Amino acid sequence: MELKDRIKLARKQAGLSQTGAAEKANVDQATISNLERGKHLGSTHLLKIADALGVSYRWLSEGVGEMHEGTSDIKGEYHVNTAPAAQPLRYFSYPVISEVNAGLFADCVVPYPAGMEERHETTDYKAQGQAFWLEVTGDSMTAPTGVRPSIPEGTLVLVDTGKEALPGNLVVAQLDESNQATFKKLVIDGGQKYLKPLNPAYPLIPINGNCRIIGVAVKAQMNL
């Protein structure tokens, strides 16, 4: 069953028209229509649509697991394997931004800076502070073959601005002389802190009060 079929099935079982489903999910009716016609093969709004239709996000987005996590009658008796099904993971949505804008993100008092809200990615990770996906550019974090970790260009890295940066963490930092963020490994050698590229062709960057750590990378996924 394809995504378009799962959305249509879930909407009909919920007793909603396309307009009704769109209103409940707070999306445009065209979003529902395009998904059901197979014109769009995915959407950043799938989490909201799944919630609105009362179905599992994983089932709707990937076709994995049960459509409904479990149902019960008014007596509380469950009818899926005669026992309550495991509660679904909670998913969180964070904006995808560029390295140039990453340095500005931590100063924002809203969930995301204006103009960056068009693209989001979901994850089961609950951030300790503001968080964003950073799309890695360049090859400074591409380690030699066989060495891990390696973060090649095009990888999406989830950055948590509320997580404490410790030696060995992959971090996003902003140098004083630039408004552009840099993604490197935080290391200490002889009491001196450095930002270390995973690619040995690039030099270490000494930290001498000349930068601030914006956040810690907690997840990485390829941008397909």
Side-chain angles (χ1 to χ4, degrees):
M1 185 183 295
E2 298 179 14
L3 174 62
K4 62 180 182 179
D5 303 313
R6 293 193 296 273
I7 289 181
K8 185 179 295 184
L9 174 62
R11 177 178 61 79
K12 288 185 175 180
Q13 286 200 7
L16 295 170
S17 63
Q18 288 187 353
T19 300
E23 291 177 352
K24 192 170 182 181
N26 195 27
V27 299
D28 292 335
Q29 186 272 334
T31 298
I32 303 295
S33 176
N34 288 334
L35 287 168
E36 289 192 0
R37 288 187 294 138
K39 185 175 180 180
H40 291 169
L41 301 180
S43 171
T44 57
H45 300 301
L46 284 182
L47 182 60
K48 294 194 295 184
I49 294 172
D51 287 342
L53 300 181
V55 297
S56 162
Y57 170 76
R58 289 197 68 197
W59 175 85
L60 187 67
S61 61
E62 304 172 27
V64 176
E66 299 292 332
M67 179 178 182
H68 301 284
E69 296 297 331
T71 57
S72 65
D73 57 21
I74 59 174
K75 297 178 182 179
E77 296 176 350
Y78 281 77
H79 304 294
V80 177
N81 297 325
T82 70
Q87 290 298 310
L89 292 172
R90 184 177 178 188
Y91 286 87
F92 304 89
S93 181
Y94 303 110
V96 179
I97 65 177
S98 69
E99 290 188 10
V100 174
N101 292 319
L104 306 176
F105 186 89
D107 294 330
C108 295
V109 295
V110 293
Y112 44 77
M116 294 183 188
E117 67 274 17
E118 292 186 358
R119 183 182 174 194
H120 287 70
E121 292 289 337
T122 56
T123 175
D124 59 357
Y125 177 82
K126 183 178 181 180
Q128 298 177 29
Q130 294 184 25
F132 57 90
W133 291 97
L134 179 72
E135 187 163 3
V136 177
T137 60
D139 64 351
S140 69
M141 293 298 279
T142 303
T145 303
V147 177
R148 294 291 181 271
S150 182
I151 315 294
E153 184 171 25
T155 301
L156 290 180
V157 176
L158 181 61
V159 180
D160 187 346
T161 65
K163 190 174 178 64
E164 181 184 2
L166 300 173
N169 288 159
L170 302 183
V171 301
V172 173
Q174 184 181 38
L175 299 175
D176 288 345
E177 65 270 18
S178 173
N179 66 346
Q180 184 170 351
T182 184
F183 176 50
K184 298 290 184 286
K185 183 177 181 179
L186 178 63
V187 298
I188 297 180
D189 186 3
Q192 170 66 52
K193 290 183 178 181
Y194 296 92
L195 296 175
K196 179 182 180 180
L198 298 180
N199 186 337
Y202 289 81
L204 291 172
I205 302 174
I207 297 178
N208 297 308
N210 59 334
C211 79
R212 66 186 181 110
I213 303 298
I214 294 173
V216 176
V218 293
K219 275 183 174 289
Q221 67 183 39
M222 286 303 297
N223 182 18
L224 301 177

